[in-house]
Amino acid sequence: MDMETDETVKRVHVRFVTHLEQHFKVPSNAIAIPSDLTRFGLSSIVNNLLKAVDSDWEPEPFDFLIDGELVRLSLEEFLLAKRISAEKVVEIEYIRAVVPRKQEEPCLHDDWVSAIDGSDPRFVLTGCYDGLGRIWTGAETCTHKLKGHTGALTSLCIINGKGSDNGNNICVATTSKDQSLRLWQFDAENASNNPATITASKVLRGHSAAVECVSSQQSGNMVCSGSWDSTINLWQANLSDADGDLASIKKRKKSGVVNESLSEGEAVTTLVGHTNCVSSVLWAHDETIYSASWDHSIRIWDVETGNATWSMFSGKVLNCIDVGGESSGLVSAGGSDGTLRIWDPRRRGTLAPVYQFSSHTNWISSCKWHKKSWFHLVSASYDGKVMLWDLRTAWPLSVIDSHNDKVLSVDWWKGNSVVSGGADSKMCISSEIPVM
């Protein structure tokens, strides 16, 4: 390959390899390239090599790894920093770059978009400070409104939408500053351009302060909630009135017409140990709950015994938690100092984080692991940015700058899309992010 470069620039012999599909593969012979190339120059070379094989090839961005670490310096600087000899052929692996391909038009709410669940590919569920939950089939079409809370929605989750096959009958749990949880049911296929109003099937009361977070057991039988009262409550998610702990609640208009009829459920178990707001909970396995708190701690709870089996104090207020990465064993959390930290509870004898990412400049409000990648996760912050991360580099792979105010919530949707909500009353969808 003919490279027109300054004769004073050093050259490095490299071989490009990839685990991508066959049409992404370039010839395996070694070639000499300038040592001052960055990933953009490397991407140009790979695209030229692919173009030489396929004249119809459309260029696209690539990322590059040497010895399993993403290249974020010039090739020469990277080799020097990692003490890799440039006298031998350097093997460079290329992968598709993780960058947003399309920004869908944002959808507006009436207040802050405080919560998002994108676990069902058919729709996005959002919670808003106007007290309503909403179901969207895209960035512009709202098909259902969940109406009943008397305070701002703080969190929500799809109870039977995470890997189970329940057809079109969807159950949802929401939490609110009105100190309650509510359970809802709707038909995912019964959608129109005119939003249908849904009333709750059950209200769950027991917290003595605003309820901040909720998560569903993978089986869908129960949900757990965290509150400003420092406790975690566990609730039955059964919507049937046959439960023994239910009492009928009716609200009537002065005319005597029934306005709302709900069943009420009581907490089955309360987990006690945190000393401040429980800001995030995750029912990762049927027998295990993870929690983060403003008391600076992360705890792992044994559901059967009610005891914390692992506790870690970070020294910072924590807002969010998620579990993913290698064998779904890494715990990510973000909080008041803008640093996204990742721990591995399987490492005995140390509570130090195994990764730290410090590009955000304000509170981190939400973080989510990609469900099919051991390396990728996304975070949202009060600095107005959503950042995509890869454990193989300390810099964000991409910064999504769709909001003009605090970003309060983020999730993955349809596999490789990122959906986020903010204090600008917008839900934004960034589509077609090629995470491999």
Side-chain angles (χ1 to χ4, degrees):
M1 184 174 179
D2 185 22
M3 302 291 300
E4 294 183 3
T5 59
D6 190 328
E7 292 296 328
T8 63
V9 176
K10 296 180 181 178
R11 287 175 173 268
V12 179
H13 285 81
V14 304
R15 178 181 294 108
F16 290 104
V17 298
T18 189
H19 297 295
L20 297 174
E21 296 88 343
Q22 182 62 37
H23 66 278
F24 282 100
K25 296 183 185 297
V26 301
S28 60
N29 55 294
I31 61 173
I33 64 174
S35 63
D36 61 350
L37 291 179
T38 63
R39 62 189 177 114
F40 301 104
L42 295 172
S43 190
S44 177
I45 290 177
V46 170
N47 276 294
N48 285 336
L49 291 170
L50 290 167
K51 185 76 171 178
V53 176
D54 178 4
S55 60
D56 295 327
W57 177 260
E58 293 292 333
E60 66 171 272
F62 292 100
D63 260 317
F64 299 86
L65 300 101
I66 298 176
D67 288 349
E69 186 168 343
L70 283 166
V71 177
R72 284 296 181 267
L73 304 169
S74 72
L75 184 56
E76 182 176 20
E77 290 170 330
F78 184 91
L79 295 177
L80 286 173
K82 301 301 176 182
R83 297 182 179 180
I84 298 173
S85 173
E87 300 301 319
K88 62 178 183 179
V89 176
V90 178
E91 188 171 274
I92 304 178
E93 180 185 353
Y94 58 98
I95 59 177
R96 297 179 72 187
V98 181
V99 293
R101 296 292 186 85
K102 180 177 64 174
Q103 298 282 335
E104 295 189 22
E105 287 298 317
C107 61
L108 294 176
H109 293 64
D110 295 329
D111 211 327
W112 290 13
V113 183
S114 51
I116 280 182
D117 188 320
S119 60
D120 194 304
R122 295 171 293 181
F123 56 84
V124 175
L125 177 64
T126 63
C128 185
Y129 263 49
D130 62 7
L132 298 177
R134 292 175 173 86
I135 291 97
W136 305 83
T137 56
E140 298 179 352
T141 305
C142 176
T143 60
H144 301 80
K145 290 184 178 180
L146 312 182
K147 185 176 182 181
H149 280 294
T150 58
L153 261 66
T154 52
S155 180
L156 44 75
C157 70
I158 299 170
I159 296 176
N160 58 1
K162 296 178 174 63
S164 57
D165 184 10
N166 289 279
N168 300 324
N169 190 29
I170 305 299
C171 296
V172 169
T174 58
T175 67
S176 170
K177 291 184 179 293
D178 65 13
Q179 302 185 15
S180 77
L181 294 83
R182 295 191 179 221
L183 304 182
W184 316 75
Q185 211 164 12
F186 71 95
D187 186 343
E189 295 300 315
N190 184 18
S192 68
N193 293 334
N194 296 318
T197 298
I198 302 171
T199 56
S201 301
K202 182 192 278 189
V203 62
L204 307 177
R205 302 188 193 279
H207 285 295
S208 60
V211 189
E212 190 67 14
C213 51
V214 66
S215 182
S216 170
Q217 190 180 30
Q218 288 187 339
S219 65
N221 293 326
M222 300 182 72
V223 297
C224 64
S225 59
S227 167
W228 277 91
D229 64 13
S230 306
T231 67
I232 299 169
N233 280 349
L234 278 58
W235 316 81
Q236 291 287 349
N238 187 356
L239 297 179
S240 170
D241 287 342
D243 294 346
D245 64 340
L246 299 183
S248 179
I249 301 173
K250 293 183 183 292
K251 295 182 179 179
R252 299 179 180 272
K253 295 180 179 179
K254 291 182 179 180
S255 63
V257 177
V258 176
N259 184 42
E260 184 178 27
S261 180
L262 291 175
S263 57
E264 182 169 332
E266 297 178 355
V268 175
T269 305
T270 299
L271 306 180
V272 178
H274 285 298
T275 59
N276 207 324
C277 170
V278 180
S279 53
S280 185
V281 289
L282 179 67
W283 205 324
H285 315 287
D286 277 353
E287 70 282 358
T288 307
I289 291 173
Y290 294 72
S291 63
S293 170
W294 277 38
D295 66 9
H296 304 176
S297 76
I298 295 173
R299 296 174 189 261
I300 302 177
W301 303 84
D302 183 294
V303 173
E304 184 176 354
T305 65
N307 297 325
T309 59
W310 185 82
S311 297
M312 191 288 310
F313 289 85
S314 69
K316 303 294 180 182
V317 166
L318 296 172
N319 283 337
C320 57
I321 191 172
D322 197 25
V323 177
E326 182 179 355
S327 301
S328 295
L330 300 180
V331 179
S332 62
S336 60
D337 65 349
T339 299
L340 182 66
R341 294 179 173 86
I342 298 172
W343 289 268
D344 189 345
R346 299 165 297 186
R347 290 192 175 187
R348 300 301 178 184
T350 178
L351 294 177
V354 292
Y355 300 97
Q356 294 190 90
F357 302 108
S358 304
S359 294
H360 282 299
T361 59
N362 208 324
W363 289 53
I364 294 177
S365 55
S366 183
C367 60
K368 289 286 184 178
W369 286 92
H370 192 277
K371 298 305 180 187
K372 295 184 178 180
S373 171
W374 283 8
F375 303 108
H376 297 99
L377 67 162
V378 63
S379 62
S381 170
Y382 288 3
D383 63 14
K385 294 177 172 57
V386 173
M387 294 189 180
L388 304 178
W389 303 96
D390 188 310
L391 299 186
R392 296 166 293 189
T393 181
W395 292 273
L397 291 184
S398 181
V399 177
I400 301 174
D401 203 5
S402 302
H403 294 274
N404 51 30
D405 206 334
K406 301 179 183 71
V407 187
L408 306 176
S409 51
V410 70
D411 201 0
W412 296 93
W413 186 45
K414 291 185 177 180
N416 290 343
S417 296
V418 172
V419 58
S420 57
D424 54 5
S425 303
K426 295 193 299 187
M427 177 188 76
C428 297
I429 301 175
S430 302
S431 299
E432 301 300 326
I433 299 171
V435 173
M436 304 301 291

